[in-house]
Amino acid sequence: SELFVTLLHFKNAGFDFDFATVSGKPVVLEMWGWPKKDSAVAGLFQQLKPKLDKPKKLADVAASAYAGIFMPGGHGAMVNLPTSEALGKLLRDVHDAGQPTVTLCHGPAGLLAATDEKNGEPVFLYEGY
């Protein structure tokens, strides 16, 4: 629900979006949190289902093609996003371009991918935020 409620607000503000996963395999949703009585969310889900079923591969996403990045929660965000080199590169590119990065619930776990090394020491891109 946190994904689609947020996307509904983004859509109403005039944004379009794509989806990406580390593997390029379909987006896995935690349907136990689905707002069953929200027809606007259900309609948006149906509209976006083709993109959810065939997301982009994260390594193929270029920051320059987007206004920003949104990483929603769900427990899956904690599985492979924190160690994804492709996500780390994308986050650094978005940050360097001054574009927004929005996270929600478990989504901030993906920010760990933006850890880099400087002089052999780990440096977290978002340290101090």
Side-chain angles (χ1 to χ4, degrees):
S1 66
E2 65 199 28
L3 169 63
F4 290 99
V5 170
T6 305
L7 292 181
L8 188 60
H9 289 287
F10 286 163
K11 180 180 183 238
N12 289 341
F15 290 98
D16 189 15
F17 17 79
D18 290 319
F19 296 92
T21 62
V22 172
S23 64
K25 292 181 181 176
V27 173
V28 177
L29 301 172
E30 294 178 339
M31 297 305 284
W32 59 266
W34 188 258
K36 296 176 179 68
K37 296 180 182 179
D38 192 328
S39 60
V41 168
L44 182 62
F45 170 72
Q46 289 304 319
Q47 179 185 348
L48 296 176
K49 190 155 179 17
K51 288 184 175 185
L52 294 164
D53 289 342
K54 294 188 178 197
K56 296 176 180 289
K57 190 172 182 180
L58 200 51
D60 297 334
V61 175
S64 60
Y66 298 93
I69 184 172
F70 171 55
M71 294 187 301
H75 295 95
M78 298 177 65
V79 176
N80 59 3
L81 292 183
T83 58
S84 169
E85 290 182 21
L87 178 58
K89 179 185 181 321
L90 180 61
L91 288 169
R92 287 188 292 278
D93 290 348
V94 165
H95 184 77
D96 291 346
Q99 298 167 297
T101 298
V102 179
T103 63
L104 185 63
C105 194
H106 289 79
L111 297 176
L112 292 171
T115 301
D116 215 342
E117 284 198 17
K118 186 174 185 179
N119 299 325
E121 296 292 322
V123 177
F124 184 53
L125 180 64
Y126 302 100
E127 188 169 333
Y129 276 71

